[in-house]
Amino acid sequence: MNKLLEIKNLSKKYHTKNGEISAIDNISFDVYEKEFLCIIGSSGCGKSTLLNILANLDDLSSGKILKKENLNIGYMLQEDALMPWLNILDNALLGLEIRHEKTKENIAYTKELLEKYGLKDFLEKYPSQLSGGMRQRVALIRTLATRPDILFLDEPFSALDYVSRLSVSNDVAHIIKCEKKTVVMITHDIAEALSLADRIIVLSKRPAKIKSIYDISLEGETPLEKRKAKNFANLYDRLWKDLDKNV
Amino acid sequence: MSKEQQRYLKKIKIRKYFVILVQVIIVIGFLALWEFLANKNIINTFVFSKPSEIWETILGLIAQNNLFNHILTTLKEVLIAFVLGILLGFIIAIILYEIPILAEIVDPFLTMINSLPKVALGPLIIIIAGANTKSIIVMALLINLIVSIITIYNGFVNVDDKKMKLIKSFGATKAQILTHLVIPSSYKTIISSLKLNISMSLIGVIMGEFLVSKEGIGYLIIYGTQVFNLSLVMAGILILIIISYILYKIIIFIESKLIKKF
Ligand SMILES: Nc1ncnc2c1ncn2[C@@H]1O[C@H](COP(=O)(O)OP(=O)(O)O)[C@@H](O)[C@H]1O
Ligand SMILES: [Mg+2]
């Protein structure tokens, strides 16, 4: 399979007034084209740090990241971070605007995405008029509009309540599948990881090291179906045992 | 509409009218009492004047065609100070935001100037800028500018981290961060700094007019005191109250127009 990213011996230290914090300790893994990779770890273990470094939002302290040439990265955060002063269409176009890629063709593509994923009647509305799940979809489309080769999702559902969380993750999985994207998603929710991922990397508590890597193939098309798969409970147990708890 | 809803709306309306009615009664009662006490010589009209005399003074000023000149002079100065204060405040806030180390360096100085009673600088300003309109504007700027800078700058630094991270993930330049995130998200702060700025400008201008002017409402008041024409002083104060109230209302109106959108 085609490698998009190779991470080699990555380490990260933060320097603060109160001393040095080692956030990531010597992590190596690869990301393959079209896979859905989940990274799980207890909160505060260094997951966001890892993703920020991969997305060029933070510097690494040592190690190497090899990226496929011209790799276009899309990044989606925990909060939708929609601009309240822009309407839904303009929010979705923000990435293109910043990159000076707001061509007719790209605008049409963005509108098509919005319409395809149930936001047709909301183009002129403002974020405050939308539900949490809809906003999260707009945030995803804003990222997709720049046609990224790889998507980085940092706990994209954790700002939602449990019920909408299940349906939004269903939605998002559906969109990502339709658009055939490579995904690296961070979560601290084992069930969420299991229901979405092709592969799961378990990180230790801080400083993050790789504890184990699982290939996942659960029966079922959608995340909700996968939650009912035979092997689900079994895998859940194994991951639960691997995961360091913050106690 | 249901009966309950109608009754509820009616109740709100009645309440509103009641408030206005009481306010009018207070003003009329106050003026009547003042006039009455003055006529009965219970209060000293030389010091406190009385409403009818103040009214005559105002009519006299209008007859001499002076009043509107004074009002216009003051308004012009307030407008200049206001616009300069907002523009300079905005530009300086951007500079401080873009150069954080500079912000850190000037922080104590801003606080010092801000906490200094600006009247103390009055005589110095006159010597430097001359006894003219320039001094009045400088005085008003001293009062409104620092506050504008601090308010707008605080709006800038309080931009949401998540949105910052997001816009950086698209590779935004510094200028783009400013135009697409920092300025629009401080919009409300900037608008509400207008409100603060207009009253500061008026305070500064009146203070400046006390010190140097030959025209304006501040001049009317100070001149009235010097010639012991207390009706003139009271007339000046009354006009000032009306002007500041109208200016405030105008700003509130502009604010509601500008903020409506989202
Ligand atoms: N900018 C920073 N400066 C100093 N320490 C940081 C910074 N960002 C994160 N950290 C620390 O690094 C650790 C990992 O943080 P993070 O990657 O956000 O964890 P999580 O796994 O919950 O996403 C935490 O202990 C956090 O306090
Ligand atoms: Mg995190």
Side-chain angles (χ1 to χ4, degrees):
Chain A
M1 256 196 292
N2 215 342
K3 274 184 203 169
L4 292 188
L5 282 177
E6 274 180 67
I7 293 104
K8 288 186 172 162
N9 308 102
L10 177 72
S11 294
K12 171 69 181 178
K13 289 191 174 95
Y14 282 116
H15 300 279
T16 70
K17 260 187 253 169
N18 303 325
E20 203 174 73
I21 298 172
S22 176
I24 298 176
D25 182 18
N26 196 18
I27 281 186
S28 305
F29 64 95
D30 300 332
V31 180
Y32 300 99
E33 199 165 356
K34 303 280 182 291
E35 79 166 328
F36 198 125
L37 173 66
C38 273
I39 298 176
I40 65 173
S42 51
S43 64
C45 80
K47 303 183 295 296
S48 296
T49 305
L50 176 62
L51 212 59
N52 287 341
I53 293 172
L54 295 183
N56 293 327
L57 293 171
D58 207 343
D59 310 319
L60 46 78
S61 304
S62 66
K64 238 200 239 158
I65 298 172
L66 301 176
K67 289 181 181 151
K68 202 184 142 189
E69 238 176 290
N70 298 324
L71 188 72
N72 184 5
I73 290 170
Y75 184 87
M76 185 176 157
L77 313 100
Q78 184 172 334
E79 288 80 8
D80 53 62
L82 297 177
M83 309 296 172
W85 57 88
L86 295 179
N87 68 25
I88 297 309
L89 180 60
D90 288 337
N91 261 298
L93 291 170
L94 184 69
L96 293 170
E97 159 113 26
I98 298 285
R99 293 184 179 182
H100 306 291
E101 290 170 2
K102 223 164 112 179
T103 59
K104 257 197 197 124
E105 194 195 342
N106 282 336
I107 294 174
Y109 174 61
T110 309
K111 277 190 179 163
E112 196 186 301
L113 285 173
L114 287 167
E115 283 168 19
K116 193 160 148 196
Y117 299 116
L119 294 156
K120 190 177 180 196
D121 302 327
F122 297 89
L123 300 191
E124 308 287 318
K125 296 264 190 306
Y126 286 85
S128 59
Q129 296 167 290
L130 269 60
S131 70
M134 290 169 107
R135 295 165 59 122
Q136 211 63 0
R137 254 181 288 161
V138 177
L140 178 63
I141 290 167
R142 172 177 60 192
T143 307
L144 291 174
T146 58
R147 302 175 203 259
D149 306 307
I150 186 166
L151 276 174
F152 292 143
L153 311 180
D154 189 349
E155 311 209 23
F157 313 122
S158 55
L160 303 167
D161 64 82
Y162 187 72
V163 175
S164 34
R165 190 172 170 154
L166 288 184
S167 69
V168 174
S169 79
N170 228 24
D171 279 1
V172 167
H174 172 67
I175 296 174
I176 286 166
K177 212 172 203 176
C178 287
E179 308 300 325
K180 300 194 180 58
K181 297 293 178 191
T182 310
V183 180
V184 178
M185 184 177 110
I186 277 173
T187 177
H188 60 254
D189 184 328
I190 299 172
E192 192 169 279
L194 275 172
S195 68
L196 290 164
D198 302 318
R199 207 151 62 97
I200 297 179
I201 295 179
V202 184
L203 297 180
S204 68
K205 64 173 188 275
R206 208 193 73 213
K209 289 185 279 292
I210 292 184
K211 279 195 99 165
S212 48
I213 301 182
Y214 291 86
D215 283 314
I216 311 290
S217 58
L218 290 168
E219 311 134 39
E221 282 297 310
T222 67
L224 283 175
E225 283 170 32
K226 286 186 180 178
R227 279 174 193 259
K228 294 178 205 136
K230 256 195 296 189
N231 217 2
F232 190 88
N234 177 22
L235 279 167
Y236 190 102
D237 265 358
R238 281 167 65 191
L239 285 165
W240 172 255
K241 281 186 192 117
D242 275 0
L243 211 56
D244 288 329
K245 283 77 179 178
N246 288 324
V247 257
Chain B
M1 213 188 298
S2 73
K3 267 214 172 108
E4 285 90 344
Q5 178 69 7
Q6 274 175 9
R7 218 176 300 143
Y8 172 74
L9 290 179
K10 204 171 163 195
K11 216 167 95 186
I12 293 181
K13 225 176 192 172
I14 290 175
R15 190 189 158 93
K16 201 173 126 198
Y17 287 142
F18 178 74
V19 168
I20 294 174
L21 183 70
V22 174
Q23 285 166 338
V24 171
I25 290 175
I26 288 175
V27 172
I28 293 176
F30 175 75
L31 293 177
L33 184 69
W34 186 359
E35 188 76 27
F36 174 77
L37 293 176
N39 286 340
K40 293 273 172 219
N41 275 328
I42 300 173
I43 57 171
N44 184 349
T45 50
F46 181 72
V47 177
F48 293 104
S49 185
K50 61 181 186 179
S52 56
E53 256 173 50
I54 295 171
W55 181 239
E56 265 160 41
T57 312
I58 292 178
L59 289 180
L61 282 170
I62 294 173
Q64 293 161 34
N65 209 3
N66 256 338
L67 184 64
F68 293 109
N69 280 342
H70 288 300
I71 292 177
L72 229 55
T73 306
T74 299
L75 282 181
K76 205 177 68 196
E77 289 159 352
V78 169
L79 193 68
I80 295 174
F82 174 74
V83 172
L84 277 180
I86 289 289
L87 281 183
L88 291 176
F90 187 65
I91 293 168
I92 295 173
I94 288 179
I95 295 172
L96 292 181
Y97 178 76
E98 288 298 336
I99 315 175
I101 187 119
L102 183 65
E104 203 173 315
I105 292 169
V106 301
D107 178 64
F109 304 119
L110 282 183
T111 316
M112 264 183 236
I113 301 174
N114 195 32
S115 50
L116 175 79
K118 263 59 101 190
V119 229
L121 297 176
L124 193 63
I125 294 172
I126 297 171
I127 291 172
I128 295 171
N132 53 37
T133 314
K134 239 191 292 170
S135 285
I136 298 174
I137 303 295
V138 172
M139 190 77 212
L141 273 180
L142 266 180
I143 293 180
N144 73 18
L145 186 55
I146 308 290
V147 183
S148 294
I149 294 173
I150 293 174
T151 321
I152 298 175
Y153 175 77
N154 278 335
F156 286 174
V157 291
N158 281 324
V159 165
D160 182 29
D161 293 345
K162 319 281 174 357
K163 296 194 174 77
M164 186 60 86
K165 203 161 146 186
L166 175 101
I167 203 159
K168 281 184 178 164
S169 82
F170 288 125
T173 61
K174 275 201 152 186
Q176 283 179 320
I177 291 175
L178 211 54
T179 53
H180 287 75
L181 176 61
V182 175
I183 294 175
S185 62
S186 317
Y187 191 69
K188 280 184 191 170
T189 320
I190 295 170
I191 300 294
S192 57
S193 85
L194 297 182
K195 217 171 5 188
L196 203 58
N197 196 301
I198 196 79
S199 27
M200 292 294 173
S201 299
L202 191 59
I203 293 173
V205 163
I206 296 301
M207 220 141 84
E209 285 181 350
F210 278 180
L211 292 171
V212 297
S213 80
K214 301 161 195 76
E215 264 183 312
I217 307 299
Y219 163 78
L220 272 189
I221 294 171
I222 210 79
Y223 175 77
T225 336
Q226 281 160 0
V227 300
F228 284 101
N229 180 352
L230 270 297
S231 295
L232 189 56
V233 175
M234 290 296 185
I237 292 172
L238 187 68
I239 292 164
L240 198 54
I241 290 173
I242 294 168
I243 288 181
S244 63
Y245 187 70
I246 292 173
L247 284 179
Y248 187 77
K249 282 290 175 188
I250 291 174
I251 292 291
I252 297 278
F253 177 75
I254 294 176
E255 185 177 326
S256 71
K257 283 282 165 235
L258 289 177
I259 275 178
K260 226 176 214 166
K261 218 172 101 198
F262 43 85

